[in-house]
Amino acid sequence: MYVFLDPLCSACWEMQPIVRKLQVQYGQYFTIRTVLSTQLSNLNTVCKTSIEEKTKIQCEFPDIEHTVFPSIAVKAAEFQGRRAALRFFNKIQEYLFIKTKNVTSFSVLQEIASKVNIDVDEFTQDFKSKECARSFQSDLSITSEMDVTTFPSIVFFNENIEDEGIKVSGVYPYEIYVQILQEMLYEKPEVQEPPALEKLFDRFHSLTTNEIASYYYISEQQAERELKKLLLLQKVERLVLPDVVIWRLKNN
């Protein structure tokens, strides 16, 4: 599965629970390659100067902002591991859509790096490196090759190289993605047992009550009770928002 995301896209924020549920229930059938990109209008402006030059300017003048920097920052975080990059991506969206912070500022991105417990100095060096610029440009090339113009998008491939991939642009109900997975496998996939709740947080770091309930096939009330046990043990913290309750790993 190629998952095309733009960190600044609100629909990509909505897509995350769907991707996580696919991983929890059917992760034995596929691997995920996350491809970062940005809207064409943002890309046009950054392309007037090379990505390499832009990142160098940004590090020398931390107050400069650009909408392409969050994507480059995730690629920089990826040099410290895929899980680090996933945590970084999720934290960017949390800062943007919950805390309404300006995630196009490099100083904010450095703060996020600190929050997700990656080496900030290493992150800063990687952010302005040629290798990071090439990594992001590779993602842009894949986006172009697969003719992806809408975010989020998912492109499904199976092991048969002669079969064409299936591209799904936008956000659809979870069952649609399961149906496509079944079509690609030529058989009905079996749902695997979810890991223990603590291991789930080790993997994803922040989850909603609704997500937990759906993974374990329990009511939201039951999920809330189990989550409160972790809260009392100070292993998670609870963030109450107008439309949703988010539980996240403590000190993250």
Side-chain angles (χ1 to χ4, degrees):
M1 277 172 53
Y2 285 78
V3 183
F4 294 83
L5 301 172
D6 177 352
L8 304 182
C9 168
S10 60
C12 293
W13 169 257
E14 296 170 21
M15 173 62 79
Q16 289 302 298
I18 293 172
V19 173
R20 285 197 291 257
K21 189 170 182 179
L22 284 171
Q23 289 177 287
V24 169
Q25 296 195 324
Y26 302 107
Q28 72 272 33
Y29 292 106
F30 62 86
T31 56
I32 287 182
R33 165 71 191 273
T34 300
V35 183
L36 293 173
S37 195
T38 188
Q39 298 295 336
L40 185 60
S41 58
N42 296 338
L43 204 53
N44 285 340
T45 55
V46 79
C47 284
K48 291 176 183 176
T49 307
S50 73
I51 291 172
E52 209 172 301
E53 289 172 333
K54 286 283 187 182
T55 53
K56 183 179 179 182
I57 291 169
Q58 175 65 8
C59 290
E60 291 174 353
F61 303 97
D63 292 334
I64 296 176
E65 305 163 3
H66 200 287
T67 50
V68 81
F69 288 141
S71 292
I72 298 172
V74 177
K75 300 307 292 185
E78 198 172 66
F79 283 91
Q80 298 187 46
R82 291 191 179 275
R83 286 198 173 187
L86 176 62
R87 294 198 307 272
F88 195 95
F89 183 93
N90 290 338
K91 187 63 76 173
I92 282 179
Q93 294 206 308
E94 181 184 313
Y95 263 50
L96 178 61
F97 298 116
I98 296 176
K99 297 184 177 180
T100 62
K101 291 212 175 179
N102 181 10
V103 297
T104 66
S105 164
F106 187 65
S107 60
V108 174
L109 294 170
Q110 286 179 308
E111 180 184 329
I112 291 172
S114 175
K115 289 290 184 182
V116 298
N117 299 320
I118 65 175
D119 188 302
V120 179
D121 290 336
E122 185 179 334
F123 164 79
T124 301
Q125 291 302 313
D126 288 333
F127 184 88
K128 60 183 179 180
S129 70
K130 292 180 179 180
E131 291 77 14
C132 184
R134 281 196 290 265
S135 179
F136 181 54
Q137 286 167 337
S138 173
D139 278 16
L140 296 179
S141 296
I142 294 171
T143 303
S144 177
E145 288 169 11
M146 295 195 185
D147 195 27
V148 171
T149 56
T150 302
F151 304 101
S153 289
I154 296 181
V155 181
F156 293 81
F157 289 100
N158 62 22
E159 293 180 343
N160 188 348
I161 59 174
E162 295 180 359
D163 288 352
E164 290 187 6
I166 297 177
K167 181 170 66 178
V168 185
S169 300
V171 181
Y172 292 89
Y174 178 73
E175 293 72 24
I176 298 295
Y177 300 97
V178 175
Q179 182 181 338
I180 294 170
L181 184 62
Q182 182 174 333
E183 290 176 10
M184 299 301 289
L185 293 169
Y186 299 110
E187 63 180 18
K188 185 176 181 179
E190 293 184 10
V191 178
Q192 64 182 350
E193 288 293 319
L197 193 52
E198 287 187 52
K199 288 189 176 181
L200 207 58
F201 276 102
D202 285 337
R203 183 174 184 181
F204 298 121
H205 286 254
S206 64
L207 295 157
T208 66
T209 309
N210 178 266
E211 283 182 278
I212 298 296
S214 69
Y215 296 159
Y216 295 98
Y217 297 100
I218 57 178
S219 68
E220 289 197 31
Q221 291 77 12
Q222 288 174 294
E224 184 98 8
R225 284 198 294 272
E226 293 301 316
L227 288 159
K228 282 181 178 177
K229 292 177 185 177
L230 294 184
L231 184 68
L232 289 171
L233 293 170
Q234 297 188 338
K235 293 188 175 181
V236 299
E237 55 189 3
R238 188 171 184 253
L239 182 62
V240 181
L241 303 172
D243 301 318
V244 68
V245 175
I246 293 177
W247 304 79
R248 59 190 178 192
L249 204 60
K250 191 75 172 178
N251 299 323
N252 188 63

